[in-house]
Amino acid sequence: MSLSGKVGLVTGGAQGIGRAVVESLLNSSVKVAVVDLNQEVGNECQVQLDAKYGEGNCTFIQCDITDGDKLKDAFQRTVDLYGRLDYVVNNAGINNENDWEKTIQVNLTSVIKGTYLALDHMSKEHGKSGGVVINVSSMAAFLHSPHQPVYTATKHGVIGFTRAIADASLLGDYGVRINVLCPAFVNTPLLHSVENEANMGKFVKFKDDFKQSMNKFGVLQPPLIAEGVMRLITDSGLNGAVMKITCSKGIHFHTYEPPSA
Ligand SMILES: NC(=O)C1=CN([C@@H]2O[C@H](COP(=O)(O)OP(=O)(O)OC[C@H]3O[C@@H](n4cnc5c(N)ncnc54)[C@H](O)[C@@H]3O)[C@@H](O)[C@H]2O)C=CC1
Ligand SMILES: CCCCCC(=O)/C=C/C=C\C/C=C\C/C=C\CCCC(=O)O
């Protein structure tokens, strides 16, 4: 399936999982907007990607996604620059149990806003040609840790929101498939912040529990997560899917029992 001519937007795309997703999209000839808070890492990312994929194929947009107006502008700039929008990956996330309200804003509220903005630009309801949204949750939504209670709550929230809005998209004939991705531990700067007391607050004392879990379940590399994202983009049968990626089972899907009366 050729993705050439399509346009993607990835939040938190300057490093870690987001950066791997951006590179997979560029490898598939998708033009990409890299939306990220970090100016320095974003500038570096732009230089490296221009050198590797050629100028004009991606653009770094500095943006704090918790600022609704700025996020809206980032979407508009992408469409103004590339003429359309087909894929949105709401990936940016933090783990700050000290400033837990910020964690909710970044990990959940901004994912909801990013999904609604994606629908504004892609839904058939608005005369657009459809697309795919991928919201990044975590295996933390299935295997909770005492080390990160609010982070865990946000990742549960992302799954619930995504499944419900995916049903709305199907029933409303929006032409947009909306799926959620739940990686286990991934080797990124975020994972290395596990011992950072400024972020983890009083829960830092439970870091050994977290580290034991990492040793038990292993640590994935970002390119495998990007492979999962590309599958969610290209498999036209997937809507409301909850993709899990773990060391033991690789890329697989969560199944829910149908509710009984
Ligand atoms: N690394 C891991 O073990 C796992 C990560 N995840 C999730 O994957 C996603 C990506 O995480 P990583 O790549 O590991 O993190 P990371 O910290 O390596 O990269 C996150 C990127 O998001 C950006 N960002 C943070 N706050 C932002 C804001 N307010 N506005 C715009 N950009 C912002 C950062 O500048 C950074 O470039 C997150 O949602 C995370 O919760 C899920 C499961 C496991
Ligand atoms: C500083 C904290 C960074 C948090 C990043 C994150 O999202 C961490 C996830 C935490 C837990 C992952 C949960 C479970 C581990 C993975 C797999 C269990 C399933 C068993 C298997 O199939 O291997």
Side-chain angles (χ1 to χ4, degrees):
M1 177 185 186
S2 170
L3 306 186
S4 183
K6 304 284 191 187
V7 177
L9 181 155
V10 182
T11 70
Q15 70 175 30
I17 292 172
R19 168 71 183 260
V21 170
V22 167
E23 294 219 30
S24 285
L25 289 168
L26 288 168
N27 273 318
S28 295
S29 303
V30 175
K31 302 237 188 281
V32 190
V34 179
V35 175
D36 204 291
L37 177 67
N38 193 324
Q39 181 82 56
E40 198 183 324
V41 175
N43 288 342
E44 238 173 74
C45 175
Q46 176 87 68
V47 170
Q48 290 167 358
L49 295 178
D50 281 352
K52 193 164 170 187
Y53 300 95
E55 284 185 23
N57 291 309
C58 75
T59 188
F60 165 57
I61 300 175
Q62 197 279 334
C63 169
D64 180 346
I65 61 165
T66 64
D67 182 327
D69 289 336
K70 293 220 169 99
L71 186 60
K72 194 173 173 186
D73 284 350
F75 273 75
Q76 192 57 53
R77 273 182 66 187
T78 305
V79 173
D80 290 346
L81 184 64
Y82 296 126
R84 55 185 293 131
L85 186 60
D86 303 280
Y87 312 127
V88 171
V89 185
N90 290 305
N91 161 77
I94 60 170
N95 192 174
N96 192 325
E97 298 294 328
N98 246 344
D99 193 351
W100 57 265
E101 286 173 310
K102 183 81 178 176
T103 298
I104 295 173
Q105 281 172 14
V106 176
N107 293 10
L108 182 58
T109 310
S110 302
V111 167
I112 295 170
K113 284 184 183 162
T115 305
Y116 287 156
L117 283 165
L119 288 172
D120 287 346
H121 287 281
M122 304 193 309
S123 173
K124 288 199 220 160
E125 249 198 334
H126 304 296
K128 306 290 163 45
S129 52
V132 185
V133 176
I134 293 155
N135 292 333
V136 178
S137 172
S138 165
M139 281 301 291
F142 294 99
L143 227 156
H144 60 268
S145 154
H147 183 253
Q148 39 180 192
V150 173
Y151 180 86
T152 304
T154 63
K155 295 304 183 180
H156 271 263
V158 169
I159 295 178
F161 168 72
T162 305
R163 294 182 73 217
I165 194 72
D167 282 354
S169 182
L170 182 68
L171 294 176
D173 195 23
Y174 298 169
V176 179
R177 294 186 292 104
I178 311 174
N179 295 302
V180 64
L181 177 66
C182 302
F185 302 102
V186 188
N187 184 16
T188 70
L190 177 69
L191 195 62
H192 300 144
S193 72
V194 65
E195 300 190 49
N196 182 343
E197 191 165 354
N199 283 2
M200 305 317 294
K202 66 181 179 184
F203 300 105
V204 78
K205 65 172 178 279
F206 301 129
K207 67 176 186 294
D208 289 341
D209 178 275
F210 188 86
K211 282 160 85 180
Q212 273 167 20
S213 193
M214 267 171 63
N215 289 336
K216 181 173 170 190
F217 294 118
V219 176
L220 300 156
Q221 296 302 326
L224 182 65
I225 316 306
E227 193 182 318
V229 167
M230 295 312 287
R231 186 153 153 205
L232 290 171
I233 285 177
T234 53
D235 187 337
S236 61
L238 295 174
N239 182 51
V242 180
M243 177 183 275
K244 293 168 154 179
I245 310 185
T246 62
C247 289
S248 67
K249 295 191 185 148
I251 295 173
H252 60 291
F253 291 90
H254 188 73
T255 52
Y256 290 89
E257 274 185 34
S260 54

